């Protein structure tokens, strides 16, 4: 996306004319065409001097970003292209730097973008003012007041989806630094008739739809509401849903905004309860009923809605029902009660709904003011923002349009007066002669409406207060009598004969010629809407409510404060409010934003000339331009003027040395501009005719083109020279690099050739040397071979000689041996036959034994003590020797295996051996214990903090610590105990607390009894008469019975030097206190699987069932 071109002046890259004061020629068509041209190029803002014209684009434009805020910050008003930020910045800087209170007046018809304009002004001021926690909180509260007021005061109309149905004026208060302190909001004329009736295609106020769409089911249930819009008569169904509007999300935004502004939770709840009550009031319907006296009376059809309203508001149902059926009139201490017919009942219902909502809205404004008001009492600077309805001309214009147009007449009057005043003050300040300006003064129209004796509002109040029959027709007759001769009042029933035949003016209407055009008003409803009457019975019923908010909204309902004086009319109240507003505005420096709606379709890119023309007329924009152009059309400070046009004069270009005014004088004299076309002020140059300014702009444009050509020529020359120098430098570099490369290639070629020649020479030399070495080698090898052959011959000859000599010696030895043998045999022949058999037997036996041992050496089994293998016996006569060798070998390898044990392992195997001697083939549980190592300390008492108390109580070394089950002799049930065995004692302790229950010296243990079966029960028998035998023997059960019995046996033997008696029997006696109980073990199937169970059969028998 191309970057947007930055404008440094209003006149730079101008699309159309940015300031209408400079428009030539000035007429309605050129005015509209200029707006249309700018609108088509997304330029939605145009100036009329210091007035901003804003056209609603009906779409988002990228001109409100934080970057734009910074671009317009602290810039001159005419320095950049027209923008609402420029006016906001001008107003804020005037307030901050010049200490002038400001007001920004935003006007235009519905849908023109007034509300959005006011938001943009406030957001800009919030962005450029100071920072800080308190300042940010104030800014946030000021900004968040908008969503609340929009929800309760805005509605969808045929012209605008978010139309403000009330006038709003906000005074934002600042401190001396320009930081916001707070604000005050004033509201004007809420269109409360919309609560009970909306024109076709329009909606009620936003808050009703937001509650039904965004509230949770529980919240709606508390308010006694349902999400279905069709359930409520006050909500128009044809426009209940609006495209592009998310009522549910807006409801969440409103609740969040109320919280930020400072509403308490109970206040928010009360507000929504009042809204729900208003909504449900529309569902109350009446039926006629005749009384005995012949008068008609109204009754409520369905009292369920009335009941729910009373539950919401805390009003007695009978009181509210009577208030809808009767009316009490008080006069001079007398009370007269009359019944209400159906039409009057519906009027009372709607009047209550309108008053309830209108007073709730006023309370909201007051409550917001309490939150956002300045907390300090220091002197404050004020910036007011007025967002109020524009001039309205509809097909059917009634009382609301009349007072709205009256307000706009007053605003137009003050606008013209303040604009002329501002022009005059600037002329005087700059020392320019002031000339009188002719303009239309609409004071005569304001007087027609607001005159205290003959004004239309005065006549309306007089007619409302007059006794007797008062109707809209009687009001029109009175107007025809009093205002007939007024030049801006028209009526067919007046005495002025010129309107008698005007068929465009109905008999029931009158017409006023406003500054913006003629508007015809229908008098129907003027009297009722001006009276704004709410029956006293309804006010008193509301005051009796238990709902604090509703009670506060109707203070006149208090019987102790009954005021028989008629309340002021709507017209007189609005007239007073407008007067206060005008007085307030006149004390401030005004800034204007005129909002224009480009089309009625609320669509982008559509510009309706007729509609825009209509708005230009009733906003009086052409009149505004003419007032600004009556004197001098354009004015500018000397410095920016000289900076902009100095290139038109050789003396001022490129730099002027001297005062800026002198430079401008030289410049204008050089250009030969007529003296009557400009004047010199103290700080500004004033140009009378826009043509003069455009001539300067044309000269500047031509001069800029010439300068651009010159710059382009110089730039092109510089670029070409730079390119040539670059090419020259590149050519030198390339040539030097090429020469270097060529020399390197040549050197490499010469080097390669030299290497080849060298290699050939070295090869020839090497081959020559090789041939010489080979010849020398062959000569050496030949001499060696000859010598070898000669030495071989000599060696073979010597060997042959030695062999011959050896054979001769051997032959002599053999002959000699044979001779000696012969001699021996001859000598011993007589002894040999008697001892030959025995010697042969012994020799043979010796050889067999020797062979046996040699074979055993190679067939020996492994050194494992459990290896049963042994070589087979080869000869029967060696049977005993074979067995003895097997026994000796087994003992030897067992000793070798034992020698590998540590002291701890020896102790373990000694205990295992002891267990084997005690229980092998006696106890069925023993085989399962052989593979289990004896650990002893199963509970790790020293490490477990749970047993710290038990560890402290036992000083001796613990041999075994295990959880056992102690059998209760009364019922056979088991209780968990900790079994401890030390060097001198046996202890039983509580498993949970660690308290020692019993302590028995080993000397008092006489016997341990157990069954021969696969169970863990055992009895510890104590010595009779010992201190520990008071409660009798212990009958216990353990998963490690073999280990416990073995360790107890070995420890007792070690300490007492006496063997502990281990009795293994399926039936034995146990001493329990004074009784002896027989414990009998039987076989049986168990419900608990393989777990033995113990049952008490009688006083003398405990039966243990073992699976």
């Amino acid at each position: 996306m191309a970057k947007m071109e930055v404008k440094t002046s209003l006149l730079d890259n101008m699309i159309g004319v940015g300031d209408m004061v400079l428009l030539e020629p000035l007429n309605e068509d050129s005015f509209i065409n200029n707006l249309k041209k700018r609108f088509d190029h997304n330029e939605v803002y145009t100036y009329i001097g210091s007035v901003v014209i804003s056209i609603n684009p009906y779409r988002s434009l990228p001109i409100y970003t934080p970057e734009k805020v910074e671009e317009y910050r602290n810039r001159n008003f005419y320095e950049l292209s027209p923008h609402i930020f420029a006016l906001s910045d001008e107003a804020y800087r005037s307030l901050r730097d010049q200490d002038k209170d400001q007001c920004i007046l935003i006007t235009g018809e519905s849908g023109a973008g007034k509300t959005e304009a006011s938001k943009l002004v406030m957001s800009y001021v919030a962005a450029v003012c100071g920072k800080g926690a308190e300042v940010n909180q104030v800014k946030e509260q000021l900004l968040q007041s908008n969503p609340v007021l929009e929800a309760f005061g805005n509605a969808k109309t045929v012209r605008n989806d978010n139309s403000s149905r009330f006038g709003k004026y906000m005074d934002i208060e600042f401190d001396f630094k320009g930081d916001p302190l707070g604000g005050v909001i004033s509201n004007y004329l809420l269109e409360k008739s919309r609560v009970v009736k909306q024109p076709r295609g329009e909606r009620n106020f936003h808050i009703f739809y937001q509650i039904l769409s965004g509230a949770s089911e529980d919240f709606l249930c508390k308010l006694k509401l349902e999400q279905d819009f069709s359930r409520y008569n006050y909500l128009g169904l044809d426009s209940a849903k609006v495209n592009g509007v998310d009522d549910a999300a807006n409801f969440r935004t409103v609740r969040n905004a109320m919280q930020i502004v400072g509403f308490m939770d109970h206040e928010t709840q009360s507000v929504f309860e009042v809204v729900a009550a208003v909504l449900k009031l529309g569902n109350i319907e009446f039926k006629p009923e005749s009384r005995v006296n012949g008068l008609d009376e109204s009754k409520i059809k369905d009292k369920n809605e009335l009941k729910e309203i009373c539950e919401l508001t805390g009003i007695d149902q009978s009181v509210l029902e009577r208030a809808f059926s009767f009316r009490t009139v008080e006069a001079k201490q007398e009370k007269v009660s009359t019944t209400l017919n159906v039409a009057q009942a519906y009027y009372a219902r709607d009047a209550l709904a309108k008053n309830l909502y209108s007073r709730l809205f006023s309370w909201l404004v007051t409550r917001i003011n309490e939150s956002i008001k300045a907390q300090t009492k220091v002197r404050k600077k004020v910036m007011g923002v007025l967002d109020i309805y524009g001039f309205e001309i509809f097909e059917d214009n009634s009382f609301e349009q009349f007072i709205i147009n009256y307000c706009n007449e007053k605003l137009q009057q003050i606008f013209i007066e303040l604009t002329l005043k501002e022009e005059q003050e600037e002329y005087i300040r700059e020392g320019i002669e002031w000339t009188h300006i002719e303009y239309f003064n609409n004071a005569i129209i304001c007087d027609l409406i607001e005159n205290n004796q003959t004004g239309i509002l005065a006549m309306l109040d007089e007619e409302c207060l007059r006794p007797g029959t008062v109707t809209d027709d009687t009001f029109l007759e009175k107007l025809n009598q009093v205002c007939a001769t007024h030049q801006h009042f028209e009526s067919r029933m007046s005495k002025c004969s010129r309107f008698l035949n005007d068929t465009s003016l109905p008999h029931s209407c009158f017409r006023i010629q406003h500054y913006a055009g003629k508007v015809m008003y229908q008098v129907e409803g003027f009297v009722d809407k001006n009276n704004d009457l709410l029956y006293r019975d309804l006010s008193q019923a509301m005051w009796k409510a238990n709902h604090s908010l509703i009670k506060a909204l109707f203070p006149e309902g208090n019987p102790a404060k009954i005021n028989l004086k008629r309340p002021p009319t709507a017209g007189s109240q609005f007239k007073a409010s407008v007067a206060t507003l005008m007085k307030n505005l006149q004390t401030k420096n005004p800034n204007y934003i005129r909002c224009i709606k480009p089309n009625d379709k609320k669509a982008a890119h559509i510009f309706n000339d007729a509609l825009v023309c209509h708005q230009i007329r009733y906003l009086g924009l052409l009149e505004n331009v003419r007032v600004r152009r009556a004197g001098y059309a354009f004015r500018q400070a000397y410095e920016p003027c000289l900076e902009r046009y100095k290139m038109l004069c050789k003396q001022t270009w490129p730099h002027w040395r001297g005062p800026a005014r002198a430079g401008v004088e030289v410049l204008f004299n050089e250009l030969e501009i007529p003296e009557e076309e400009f004047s010199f002020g103290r700080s500004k140059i004033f140009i009378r005719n826009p043509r003069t300014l455009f001539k300067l702009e044309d000269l500047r444009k031509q001069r800029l083109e010439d300068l651009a050509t010159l710059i382009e020529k110089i730039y092109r020359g510089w670029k070409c020279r730079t390119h040539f120098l670059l090419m020259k430098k590149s050519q030198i570099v390339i040539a030097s690099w090429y020469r270097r490369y060529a020399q390197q290639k040549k050197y490499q070629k010469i080097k390669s050739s030299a290497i080849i020649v060298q290699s050939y020479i070295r090869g020839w030399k090497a081959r020559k040397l090789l041939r010489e070495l080979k010849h020398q080698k062959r000569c050496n090898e030949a001499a060696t071979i000859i010598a070898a052959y000669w030495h071989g011959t000599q060696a073979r000859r010597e060997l042959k000689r030695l062999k011959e000599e050896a054979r001769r010696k051997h032959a002599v030895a053999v002959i000699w041996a044979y001779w000696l043998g012969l001699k021996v045999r001859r000598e011993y022949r007589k002894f040999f036959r008697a001892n030959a058999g025995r010697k042969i037997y012994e020799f043979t036996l010796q050889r067999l034994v020797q062979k046996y041992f040699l074979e055993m050496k190679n067939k020996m089994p492994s050194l494992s003590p459990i290896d049963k293998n042994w070589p087979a016996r080869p000869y029967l006569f060696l049977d005993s020797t074979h067995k003895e060798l097997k026994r000796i070998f087994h003992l030897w390898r067992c000793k070798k295996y034992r020698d590998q044990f540590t002291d701890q392992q020896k102790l373990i195997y000694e205990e295992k051996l002891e267990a084997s001697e005690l229980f092998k083939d006696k106890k069925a549980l023993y085989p399962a214990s052989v593979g289990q190592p004896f650990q002893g300390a199963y509970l790790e008492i020293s490490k477990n903090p749970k047993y710290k108390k038990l560890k402290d109580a036992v000083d001796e070394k613990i041999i075994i610590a295990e959880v056992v089950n102690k059998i209760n002799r009364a019922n056979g049930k088991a209780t968990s105990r900790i079994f401890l065995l030390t060097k001198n004692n046996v202890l039983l302790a509580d498993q949970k607390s660690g308290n020692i229950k019993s302590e028995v010296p080993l000397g008092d243990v006489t016997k341990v009894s157990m069954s021969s079966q696969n169970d863990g029960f055992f009895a510890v028998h104590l010595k009779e008469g010992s201190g520990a035998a008071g409660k009798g023997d212990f009958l216990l059960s353990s998963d490690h019975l073999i280990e416990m019995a073995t360790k107890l046996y070995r420890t007792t033997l070690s300490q007492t030097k006496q063997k502990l008696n281990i009795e293994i029997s399926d039936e034995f006696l146990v001493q329990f206190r004074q009784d002896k109980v027989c414990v009998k073990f039987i076989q049986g199937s168990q419900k608990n699987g393989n777990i033995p169970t113990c049952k008490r059969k009688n006083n003398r028998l405990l039966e243990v069932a073992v699976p």
Side-chain angles (χ1 to χ4, degrees), residues 104-134:
I104 300 176
L105 282 66
I106 307 172
T107 56
E109 72 171 49
S110 178
K114 300 186 299 298
T115 302
E116 290 301 317
S118 66
K119 290 181 186 177
L120 290 171
V121 170
M122 293 179 65
S123 64
Y124 180 85
V125 173
V128 300
C129 63
K131 301 292 188 293
E134 295 183 3

Side-chain angles (χ1 to χ4, degrees), residues 259-496:
Q259 185 177 5
I260 293 174
V261 170
F263 282 81
M264 307 299 290
D265 290 342
H266 71 274
E267 292 178 326
T268 305
Q269 180 69 22
S270 299
V271 169
F272 290 133
E273 286 173 353
V274 174
V275 174
V278 171
L279 199 56
K280 296 183 74 65
L281 275 173
N283 291 350
I284 296 179
E285 297 183 349
F286 302 94
K287 60 183 178 180
E289 188 174 296
S290 299
R291 301 183 69 184
V292 179
N293 57 7
L295 296 176
D296 289 336
E297 183 181 358
S298 64
K299 291 291 182 182
I300 297 175
K301 288 183 181 180
D302 183 7
K303 295 185 180 180
N304 186 47
E305 293 285 351
L306 182 66
K307 178 183 177 183
E308 291 183 349
I309 292 174
C310 293
E311 290 175 356
L312 273 174
T313 58
I315 301 175
D316 188 349
Q317 184 175 343
S318 60
V319 172
L320 187 57
E321 185 177 0
R322 175 176 175 78
F324 281 134
S325 303
F326 295 89
R327 178 187 180 188
T328 302
V329 180
E330 298 184 21
K332 296 181 181 179
Q333 306 299 325
E334 294 183 3
K335 292 184 179 181
V336 179
S337 181
T338 60
T339 60
L340 300 178
N341 57 31
V342 173
Q344 291 172 330
Y346 277 117
Y347 173 82
R349 180 201 69 178
D350 291 345
L352 176 60
K354 290 188 290 184
N355 272 272
L356 193 57
Y357 191 83
S358 175
R359 297 183 187 205
L360 172 66
F361 186 78
S362 299
W363 181 86
L364 280 172
V365 174
T366 304
R367 179 65 183 81
I368 291 173
N369 285 337
E370 291 177 3
S371 296
I372 66 175
K373 68 181 179 181
Q375 302 299 322
T376 58
K377 295 184 179 181
V378 298
R379 183 178 177 275
K380 310 175 189 71
K381 306 175 183 179
V382 178
M383 176 185 288
V385 180
L386 177 65
D387 173 10
I388 201 163
Y389 11 65
F391 201 86
E392 293 188 351
I393 303 177
F394 299 149
E395 291 183 4
D396 297 325
N397 300 291
S398 187
F399 178 73
E400 291 85 359
Q401 282 69 46
F402 175 73
I403 56 177
I404 286 172
N405 293 343
Y406 160 62
C407 178
N408 277 271
E409 286 285 358
K410 296 294 289 182
L411 288 174
Q412 176 68 10
Q413 183 181 21
I414 195 173
F415 171 69
I416 296 296
E417 290 177 358
L418 292 177
T419 300
L420 289 175
K421 181 181 178 182
E422 182 184 359
E423 283 282 298
Q424 186 175 6
E425 287 178 352
E426 184 174 20
Y427 278 39
I428 295 172
R429 187 169 58 249
E430 292 294 328
I432 304 295
E433 182 180 355
W434 169 257
T435 56
H436 180 71
I437 300 173
E438 294 292 336
Y439 67 96
F440 170 70
N441 190 347
N442 66 338
I444 188 172
I445 303 174
C446 296
D447 185 69
L448 170 65
I449 298 173
E450 67 182 4
N451 189 283
N452 291 332
Q453 276 75 35
T454 60
I456 296 175
L457 287 176
M459 295 299 102
L460 181 59
D461 287 349
E462 184 179 330
E463 192 67 14
C464 291
L465 297 174
R466 181 175 62 83
T469 304
V470 177
T471 64
D472 296 321
D473 293 334
T474 60
F475 165 62
L476 182 58
E477 289 177 6
K478 190 157 193 173
L479 286 182
N480 291 331
Q481 293 174 5
V482 176
C483 305
T485 57
H486 199 286
Q487 58 182 341
H488 291 274
F489 179 84
E490 301 174 3
S491 173
R492 291 186 68 176
M493 304 299 293
S494 67
K495 298 177 182 179
C496 187

Side-chain angles (χ1 to χ4, degrees), residues 695-817:
K695 178 182 177 182
L696 288 173
E697 284 296 312
D698 291 339
L699 293 172
R700 180 177 180 272
K701 183 178 180 182
Q702 182 61 43
R703 180 58 178 159
L704 287 176
E705 290 178 358
D706 296 340
L707 290 174
T709 303
L710 178 61
I711 294 170
E712 184 179 10
K713 180 184 71 173
I714 295 173
Y715 172 74
R716 284 178 176 173
W718 170 83
K719 186 175 181 181
C720 288
R721 283 192 301 275
T722 304
H723 181 69
F724 168 74
L725 293 174
L726 181 62
M727 292 291 289
K728 182 178 179 181
K729 182 179 179 181
S730 301
Q731 185 270 333
I732 294 172
V733 171
I734 292 171
S736 63
W737 275 86
Y738 176 75
R739 285 192 293 271
R740 172 188 171 189
Y741 169 76
Q743 291 299 322
Q744 284 178 341
K745 293 291 287 183
K746 184 177 179 181
Y747 168 75
Q748 292 292 341
K749 190 174 181 180
I750 294 172
K751 182 179 178 181
S752 177
S753 300
I755 291 172
I756 292 173
V757 172
Q758 288 176 353
S759 65
Y760 273 101
I761 294 173
R762 290 193 186 102
W764 172 76
K765 287 183 176 181
R767 287 191 295 273
K768 181 180 178 183
L769 179 61
L770 180 61
R771 284 194 298 270
E772 292 177 352
L773 291 174
K774 281 183 177 181
H775 176 71
Q776 185 179 358
K777 182 179 179 182
R778 281 196 297 270
C779 292
N780 293 336
E781 286 178 352
T784 302
I785 291 171
I786 293 170
Y789 273 99
W790 168 248
H791 291 150
T793 303
Q794 286 183 331
R796 284 190 294 273
R797 288 176 181 174
E798 182 66 22
L799 178 63
K800 186 176 179 182
R801 185 185 63 78
L802 291 174
K803 283 182 177 181
E804 185 66 29
E805 185 179 353
R807 276 196 299 272
R808 290 173 182 168
K809 289 180 179 180
H810 180 66
V812 172
V814 170
I815 293 170
W816 176 250

